[in-house]
Amino acid sequence: HVRRLDPDRQRRAARAAVAAIVILVLTRWPVAAVACGLLGWFASDLLGGRAQREAGVARTEAIASWTEMLRDTIAAAHGLEAAISATAPVAPEPIRTEVMTLAVAIEREPLPRALRRLASDLAHPIADLVVSALSVAASGSVRELADLLGTLAAAARDEAAMQLRVEAARARMRTAVRVITGCTVVTAVGLVALNPDYVDVYSTALGQVTLSLIAICWGMALWWLAKMSEFRMPERFLTAEPEPSGAWR
């Protein structure tokens, strides 16, 4: 049985292979081929990621919307399990699969255990807060669950708005990474293609060592800029032990 790579790894491998082969044919420099292969592999991390960032914001807003659905359904005198089952089919698309799984799970296992699995599936700090509130409510310890869910939904909305503000503030830095990368690659390829005598010094062993140091410094600088432009999600406080019981640690 041959294990296939996931689509993302396939795309990364294809980009890396094409970039490395093209540069190796143009320059005959193994260091340049390796450097461009690595750039092709990590291009989506350094130069892209917009879809992933937008998906993260959409997931936060979806958790807020579903929490509001639960609040309104519970306020209409429905029980907690009934509210989960009623809202699952109309849950926001980014989390509908996880909520549907929860609705099916509560029919055959205790609610607290199913909620722990939901927190693990969503893997989101706001989801941890919602699951904690629902878990406490399942034991009958929360009287004003609807008000609490409303507060959590508002917190989720605020976090989504904060993510959007951070993304807007850091867009300039991500643009700088793209411009620096593009200009450097175009300049290097132009020199190799139009003025090969100028860069012929890199064909020697010492030149390859020097080029490797330049590539390492350049790559580290790009990685540093890309890391500075990332949005760091707050740490989760609910994590599950890898045990069948699914106990929290």
Side-chain angles (χ1 to χ4, degrees):
H1 177 68
V2 179
R3 186 176 181 181
R4 299 184 61 185
L5 293 175
D6 61 78
D8 179 63
R9 288 181 178 272
Q10 289 179 358
R11 289 191 293 269
R12 287 173 181 263
R15 286 198 306 264
V18 170
I21 292 173
V22 169
I23 295 301
L24 186 61
V25 170
L26 287 176
T27 64
R28 306 291 182 181
W29 299 341
V31 170
V34 171
C36 289
L38 290 174
L39 179 61
W41 179 272
F42 292 107
S44 57
D45 300 321
L46 296 174
L47 309 177
R50 179 177 179 180
Q52 183 178 1
R53 293 190 296 270
E54 291 178 348
V57 175
R59 196 169 180 83
T60 302
E61 292 179 339
I63 293 172
S65 297
W66 182 61
T67 305
E68 291 170 345
M69 291 180 184
L70 284 177
R71 177 200 62 191
D72 297 338
T73 307
I74 292 173
H78 288 76
L80 180 54
E81 294 188 11
I84 292 173
S85 299
T87 58
V90 294
E93 183 64 29
I95 63 170
R96 184 174 300 166
T97 300
E98 291 84 352
V99 178
M100 289 293 294
T101 301
L102 171 65
V104 173
I106 62 177
E107 297 178 358
R108 58 175 183 266
E109 65 182 3
L111 179 57
R113 184 184 302 173
L115 288 171
R116 288 196 294 268
R117 188 176 297 113
L118 174 67
S120 178
D121 292 341
L122 292 177
H124 195 286
I126 292 294
D128 287 348
L129 293 173
V130 175
V131 166
S132 297
L134 297 179
S135 297
V136 174
S139 63
S141 301
V142 174
R143 295 182 179 179
E144 302 297 335
L145 178 59
D147 293 340
L148 178 57
L149 291 177
T151 301
L152 293 177
R157 298 285 186 195
D158 291 341
E159 181 173 330
M162 178 189 65
Q163 290 182 23
L164 290 174
R165 289 194 297 270
V166 171
E167 290 299 325
R170 296 183 178 178
R172 183 179 300 177
M173 188 174 297
R174 285 191 289 270
T175 300
V177 173
R178 297 189 188 97
V179 171
I180 292 171
T181 303
C183 290
T184 304
V185 171
V186 169
T187 301
V189 172
L191 287 173
V192 172
L194 301 178
N195 193 4
D197 294 337
Y198 183 79
V199 294
D200 188 58
V201 64
Y202 292 111
S203 300
T204 65
L206 180 60
Q208 287 292 284
V209 172
T210 304
L211 185 62
S212 66
L213 295 176
I214 295 173
I216 290 172
C217 293
W218 182 69
M220 290 180 63
L222 284 183
W223 175 84
W224 180 55
L225 286 173
K227 282 295 181 182
M228 289 176 61
S229 66
E230 287 183 355
F231 176 82
R232 294 186 179 182
M233 187 71 70
E235 292 186 4
R236 296 180 57 206
F237 65 92
L238 292 181
T239 54
E241 292 283 359
E243 300 172 355
S245 60
W248 298 105
R249 72 181 179 202

